[in-house]
Amino acid sequence: MGSRTNRSDMRQGWILAFLGIAAFSLTLPATRIAVAYLDPWFVAFGRGVLAAALAALVLLVTRQPRPRAYQFLSLTVVALGVIVGFPVLSAWAMRELPASHGSIALSVTPLATAFFGACLAGERLPGRFWLAALAGAGAVFVFALEAGGGGLRRGDLWLFAAALMAALGYAEGARLSRSLGGWQVISWALVLAAPWLLGPLVWAMARSELSAPPEAWAGFVYVAVISQFLAFMLWYRGLALGGIARMSQVQLLQPVLTLGACALWLGEPLSRSLVGVAATVLASLWISQRAPTRAAESLRSRC
């Protein structure tokens, strides 16, 4: 019965994690469209405030109990990682980089998420998992580098930092979702961050022109409602069910999906090596998902 339950949880975790990543894969193209006309600070802070309003409404309607005192520290880490850090850094980078090029820096996110998952949630995985994760991340990095023009730019430093902030927020949010619930974690983190976002948002609105075409506002609404709220419900639940480190490798598909969206939406060129990297990623995923997870224990002191 236990193994059957574990297989069911793993299958459900895979489905939810993939749906979450598919939604996240459109974040950079949508951000690119939005910041072409709207101030990046407005996009970065406004997406969090709009998502927080939706989260507060959901929490109120469902009458969710307040998190316990010890859970607020974890919620703060989540808020700093995925509500403040990633949106601000990625929005600023998208002023300088094509969305397809942005996937270069984000290729480190799966490996970083697996590392933080091992540190924060005590997930112990064998060497073959880490070798597969490194191979997958390397393949995606080389592919994204080629598709992005063959070189790194200043904006990539912003996105590398954004990737690390996102990975930390992913791992800590997934760990907390085991006790608090996936959608509750992102909802409470948004509500917690909202007061700190309002001031900068008012400042951004005062210094920028908010007239923009419909496609820019559509991009803004997407990153606020989907990327910042709904996708996290799926993603955190998937990580909690399947294991943070293991499910983090599903993110290897995100740059491939992002580059496809960039080609369709923005007309950015698509590399011919897509098939090869997709095969490498699938092989990496197959190996990493079959690697056994040893009994969890706290590894915070080792990280």
Side-chain angles (χ1 to χ4, degrees):
M1 180 68 72
S3 61
R4 191 175 303 174
T5 301
N6 289 338
R7 287 196 297 270
S8 176
D9 286 347
M10 185 68 68
R11 190 180 304 112
Q12 186 179 355
W14 247 97
I15 293 172
L16 293 174
F18 176 77
L19 291 175
I21 287 302
F24 285 143
S25 69
L26 301 181
T27 299
L28 289 186
T31 302
R32 177 69 173 169
I33 293 172
V35 300
Y37 302 95
L38 296 168
D39 183 81
W41 296 115
F42 169 78
V43 174
F45 297 123
R47 62 181 276 183
V49 172
L50 178 55
L54 294 174
L57 179 61
V58 172
L59 290 171
L60 184 64
V61 170
T62 57
R63 298 182 179 180
Q64 292 297 308
R66 291 184 60 185
R68 298 178 180 179
Y70 73 90
Q71 294 174 323
F72 275 100
L73 178 59
S74 292
L75 288 171
T76 301
V77 173
V78 173
L80 289 174
V82 303
I83 300 172
V84 179
F86 181 83
V88 170
L89 293 168
S90 62
W92 193 253
M94 285 298 94
R95 292 287 291 220
E96 303 179 16
L97 300 175
S100 57
H101 188 93
S103 62
I104 298 172
L106 297 187
S107 64
V108 305
T109 309
L111 194 60
T113 304
F115 172 77
F116 284 127
C119 289
L120 298 174
E123 295 180 358
R124 305 183 62 188
L125 291 143
R128 64 178 176 177
F129 169 87
W130 296 106
L131 288 174
L134 282 169
V140 170
F141 179 83
V142 172
F143 171 62
L145 186 64
E146 178 188 351
L152 298 178
R153 309 181 192 180
R154 184 179 61 177
D156 288 307
L157 297 177
W158 295 108
L159 276 179
F160 276 124
L164 294 178
M165 294 294 287
L168 177 60
Y170 289 163
E172 184 65 5
R175 187 186 70 84
L176 183 58
S177 69
R178 293 171 178 170
S179 60
L180 190 59
W183 71 266
Q184 291 92 335
V185 167
I186 189 59
S187 296
W188 283 113
L190 284 164
V191 170
L192 183 65
W196 303 97
L197 298 177
L198 280 173
L201 176 61
V202 172
W203 167 80
M205 293 174 67
R207 65 183 289 273
S208 61
E209 177 61 53
L210 296 181
S211 60
E215 59 267 26
W217 287 109
F220 172 74
V221 171
Y222 185 93
V223 297
V225 177
I226 305 298
S227 302
Q228 193 68 78
F229 187 44
L230 298 180
F232 272 103
M233 294 182 178
L234 302 170
W235 179 234
Y236 278 149
R237 183 59 178 164
L239 288 175
L241 285 172
I244 299 170
R246 191 185 302 276
M247 288 297 104
S248 71
Q249 299 310 291
V250 179
Q251 294 174 94
L252 289 171
L253 298 171
Q254 183 172 341
V256 177
L257 296 174
T258 296
L259 289 167
C262 291
L264 291 174
W265 283 12
L266 306 178
E268 296 180 4
L270 194 61
S271 171
R272 294 181 180 178
S273 57
L274 177 61
V275 175
V277 77
T280 303
V281 165
L282 289 175
S284 170
L285 284 172
W286 185 81
I287 295 172
S288 65
Q289 300 312 300
R290 292 176 64 85
T293 304
R294 293 194 289 272
E297 62 182 55
S298 176
L299 300 180
R300 288 178 185 268
S301 61
R302 302 185 189 179
C303 299

